[in-house]
Amino acid sequence: MKKLVDKSMMGQSWVMMDGIDFGAKTDFGEDLVRNILAGRGMCARDEIERFLSPTIREYMPDPYVLRDMDVASHVIADAVMAHKKIAVYGDYDVDGITSTAVFVKYLRALGVDTIWHVPTREGEGYGLNIAAVDEIADSGADILVTVDCGISCVHEIEHAVARGLRVVVTDHHSPDEILPVAAEAIVNPKRADDTSGLNYLAGVGVAFLTLVALNRELRDRLKNDARHELLSKINLMDYLDLVALGTVCDTMPLVGLNRALVATGLKVLDARKNLGLRVLMDVAGARHASVYVAGFVLGPRLNAAGRLDSATPALELLLTDNPLVARALAEKLDQMNRDRIDIQNAIMLGATEQAEQCCKNGKHSLFVCGDNWHGGVMGIIAGRLKDRYNRPSCVATRIDGVINGSGRSVANVDLGRIIHDALARGIVTEGGGHAAAAGFSLMADKENEFREFLEKSVSQQLGDNPITPEVVVDAELDASGATMNLVQKLSVLAPFGQGNPEPELVLNGAKLQYATVMGNGAHLRGVVRTSMGTTVNFVGFNLVGTPVGDFLLDDANINTTMSMLGRLKDNEYNGRHTAQFMLADIAVGI
């Protein structure tokens, strides 16, 4: 690795893979794309071609490579053939509601009596709920299919079976030591005995593969059935917009099958086949489908329902065929997202004040807590604090003597392990997660003990190593190379997301012309001049109040030459396309 900057204005180290020699230079953009892929460990020509042209045909495995998939498809097919009622139980986030939607849409297209349930975040919480299971059993359902949940619900599934329900679990979360063996099938690529290699799938990806297997099973069984014509009209590819949406919003790595599912799904989303998504795109002002639109336009609006109240309106939007209903639901979700932003911004003020005090006290971690803060935005705010202060950050709400919170971590600090240790010591009553993110609950009288345990654990994991985030840069170039031509060349690497991030570029020789505050006062925009005399527009989100923002907004720094870290985007306005640099960090005097 080649170090470009030891410590930037945002306190980051910039490093880059050593250059790869491809021989004679051809087109700059093409050569840069190959260098980026080589830096990410992809050098073989056939591997590169496969990556750049992801297709379902190329990547789709036999769904039966997943453990228990044969049993799952047979059990659900039995219920379809016997005209039984099927219940689909999902989750309140985008992955959960898209998983529920694809299953419900498929079954209803076959004329199956289908009901669904998604829990409320505050009232029921994640996973199966005994009261909801009882309602499903009382409704006369014969089979319960879980999507994006169920792997940890041992007791609840035993209860469901005792109530006469056959249970099929489809999930992608990491299982506990004890599996819900009362279920007739447990389809989860993260099972220790699953050898499919598909452990990167989202819950909706697992649900989709289950439908592929079920569809294959029913093709054989329905040959002489009146429903064969209904089955012949179902095109599973039409559901890939939902699969792409859930995969992107659950930040699953866009590699292998996920890359093909998202690339194809975005085309389906762009074709606007799902009425609810089409109307939501219109309400949100999104003209074309992209990973950005899925993750930052549609996702937050669909998530807002589950964060503030119930995810039911979001799921109903994905399922409706009524234009008037779709419009009303889309506008409701849009307003809920606005409300979520207002709530989030109000809490962020208090959270930032507490975080500043932690930093002044020399803490390696941040724990902020407020009375009656809305639990639906804890994770978002924790992520914001983590990004701003480069510290593991836990944000919690104190209600009726109980504290519930979420945390986000930095490199070299395993927050999930810390929460697990706190649970083992009886400091928290519930908790779990992984290295980068975790959730927890504790009694209010344990607040200080948890704060001290968090700080001590983070300090021990860090040792003598200061928290200096490292950014891996894909390429450095003169700022004059930041053109629409380069934007178009880099677009062949899309879709971008977890596991395949947008190229991180460093633009050298950028001379600041001006910068100003924009939007809600947290963002800024400006212009730099290059060594060739051309200009590049830039935008910096959430940079006001940071060292970068302070530097750029200081008139004394006009005409200062700097290196800029960020990503190059296509900015479309009134039909005109220009290259725009999404600024994340700067370094001066390197």
Side-chain angles (χ1 to χ4, degrees):
M1 298 289 279
K2 171 185 175 184
K3 181 162 284 190
L4 303 179
V5 172
D6 285 321
K7 195 168 185 179
S8 67
M9 278 198 181
M10 293 296 283
Q12 302 180 113
S13 172
W14 301 353
V15 298
M16 187 174 72
M17 291 291 293
D18 293 330
I20 307 295
D21 183 9
F22 286 101
K25 298 291 184 182
T26 53
D27 178 84
F28 168 72
E30 179 183 339
D31 190 68
L32 182 59
V33 166
R34 289 189 293 166
N35 268 282
I36 289 172
L37 290 177
R40 296 180 179 183
M42 201 176 301
C43 298
R45 182 176 296 277
D46 59 343
E47 184 183 17
I48 289 175
E49 290 177 357
R50 190 167 181 254
F51 179 85
L52 295 179
S53 302
T55 64
I56 298 295
R57 180 184 297 275
E58 181 74 21
Y59 283 96
M60 176 63 77
D62 185 326
Y64 292 108
V65 298
L66 283 158
R67 180 83 175 188
D68 269 9
M69 183 63 86
D70 54 344
V71 181
S73 60
H74 279 79
V75 170
I76 302 172
D78 286 346
V80 172
M81 296 304 297
H83 298 276
K84 298 292 187 179
K85 178 184 283 190
I86 299 177
V88 182
Y89 198 116
D91 187 28
Y92 42 70
D93 66 359
V94 177
D95 189 19
I97 62 174
T98 53
S99 300
T100 307
V102 295
F103 236 98
V104 172
K105 288 174 78 69
Y106 178 86
L107 293 173
R108 287 183 175 173
L110 279 176
V112 177
D113 185 3
T114 308
I115 60 173
W116 53 263
H117 182 83
V118 287
T120 57
R121 183 186 295 264
E122 299 296 328
E124 297 172 276
Y126 172 74
L128 296 180
N129 176 274
I130 293 292
V133 169
D134 283 337
E135 285 184 16
I136 289 169
D138 292 341
S139 76
D142 177 74
I143 182 171
L144 171 62
V145 179
T146 75
V147 289
D148 192 36
C149 66
I151 196 65
S152 300
C153 302
V154 175
H155 173 63
E156 293 82 0
I157 289 174
E158 288 175 347
H159 180 78
V161 172
R163 288 296 315 269
L165 290 165
R166 305 176 74 188
V167 180
V168 171
V169 172
T170 75
D171 200 353
H172 76 126
H173 293 95
S174 297
D176 297 328
E177 290 184 10
I178 301 175
L179 293 176
V181 293
E184 295 192 38
I186 306 170
V187 181
N188 186 334
K190 287 193 175 75
R191 285 180 57 162
D193 56 356
D194 185 285
T195 58
S196 66
L198 296 171
N199 58 352
Y200 55 81
L201 288 177
V204 71
V206 177
F208 180 75
L209 283 187
T210 306
L211 290 181
V212 172
L214 176 61
N215 198 60
R216 183 186 300 178
E217 179 72 20
L218 289 174
R219 276 205 309 266
D220 293 332
R221 297 210 201 180
L222 291 175
K223 283 181 179 177
N224 300 313
D225 190 290
R227 290 171 292 176
H228 185 266
E229 184 177 352
L230 293 175
L231 183 67
S232 66
K233 292 179 180 179
I234 297 176
N235 183 357
L236 289 175
M237 299 288 279
D238 289 342
Y239 301 156
L240 288 179
D241 50 359
L242 296 171
V243 178
L245 186 56
T247 301
V248 169
C249 291
D250 221 42
T251 62
M252 292 294 103
L254 297 191
V255 298
L257 178 58
N258 275 354
R259 180 170 169 78
L261 291 172
V262 171
T264 307
L266 290 177
K267 294 176 184 176
V268 178
L269 182 60
D270 220 18
R272 296 174 171 243
K273 293 190 175 186
N274 183 291
L275 173 64
L277 290 178
R278 177 169 75 240
V279 175
L280 187 60
M281 286 179 70
D282 290 340
V283 168
R287 299 177 61 184
H288 300 291
S290 64
V291 168
Y292 175 82
V293 167
F296 296 97
V297 178
L298 301 180
R301 286 166 173 81
L302 293 169
N303 252 334
R307 288 188 181 280
L308 299 187
D309 185 20
S310 165
T312 294
L315 182 52
E316 288 176 338
L317 177 69
L318 301 182
L319 295 174
T320 187
D321 292 321
N322 185 315
L324 294 178
V325 171
R327 186 74 189 187
L329 288 170
E331 290 178 347
K332 179 177 182 177
L333 292 176
D334 188 62
Q335 183 58 52
M336 292 180 85
N337 190 52
R338 294 174 191 272
D339 294 342
R340 187 269 304 169
I341 292 172
D342 290 341
I343 292 169
Q344 178 182 312
N345 289 341
I347 295 174
M348 188 70 186
L349 291 174
T352 301
E353 289 180 4
Q354 293 186 38
E356 291 282 357
Q357 190 60 48
C358 288
C359 293
K360 288 179 182 178
N361 293 336
K363 300 295 185 182
H364 294 95
S365 64
L366 302 179
F367 176 76
V368 303
C369 187
D371 291 325
N372 299 307
W373 283 355
H374 198 292
V377 298
M378 298 295 95
I380 298 175
I381 294 174
R384 292 279 179 87
L385 294 180
K386 182 265 296 184
D387 290 340
R388 182 166 183 170
Y389 297 103
N390 294 325
R391 288 168 171 80
S393 301
C394 290
V395 180
T397 179
R398 191 187 303 109
I399 302 175
D400 296 331
V402 178
I403 291 173
N404 292 296
S406 293
R408 299 294 182 267
S409 194
V410 297
N412 303 320
V413 175
D414 187 338
L415 185 59
R417 195 182 90 195
I418 293 173
I419 297 300
H420 184 272
D421 290 344
L423 182 63
R425 287 167 169 77
I427 300 172
V428 303
T429 55
E430 293 181 58
H434 48 79
F440 55 89
S441 297
L442 63 147
M443 302 307 296
D445 59 6
K446 293 275 189 177
E447 180 176 341
N448 288 334
E449 186 178 357
F450 176 76
R451 189 191 310 271
E452 292 170 3
F453 180 79
L454 174 67
E455 176 65 18
K456 180 180 178 181
S457 300
V458 169
S459 298
Q460 287 175 342
Q461 287 195 26
L462 287 174
D464 296 328
N465 300 316
I467 301 178
T468 303
E470 187 175 84
V471 179
V472 178
V473 176
D474 289 292
E476 63 172 336
L477 58 148
D478 187 83
S480 60
T483 64
M484 271 304 298
N485 180 58
L486 183 57
V487 171
Q488 292 163 358
K489 294 292 185 183
L490 295 177
S491 68
V492 301
L493 296 169
F496 300 116
Q498 183 75 17
N500 182 45
E502 292 183 64
E504 203 75 59
L505 307 177
V506 168
L507 303 186
N508 294 320
K511 185 175 290 188
L512 180 64
Q513 297 301 288
Y514 81 88
T516 186
V517 175
M518 61 176 279
N520 63 2
H523 318 310
L524 54 82
R525 60 182 174 86
V527 174
V528 295
R529 187 168 296 280
T530 76
S531 60
M532 301 295 290
T534 58
T535 59
V536 177
N537 296 325
F538 68 86
V539 170
F541 289 112
N542 298 305
L543 287 180
V544 173
T546 70
V548 169
D550 293 342
F551 179 87
L552 294 174
L553 294 171
D554 186 344
D555 289 342
N557 295 319
I558 298 297
N559 289 321
T560 299
T561 300
M562 58 192 178
S563 292
M564 307 167 67
L565 172 74
R567 297 169 176 179
L568 196 60
K569 295 271 195 179
D570 174 3
N571 181 44
E572 180 183 358
Y573 183 73
N574 286 338
R576 182 169 176 262
H577 294 262
T578 57
Q580 186 176 68
F581 197 67
M582 311 306 291
L583 180 66
D585 199 357
I586 61 175
V588 178
I590 62 171

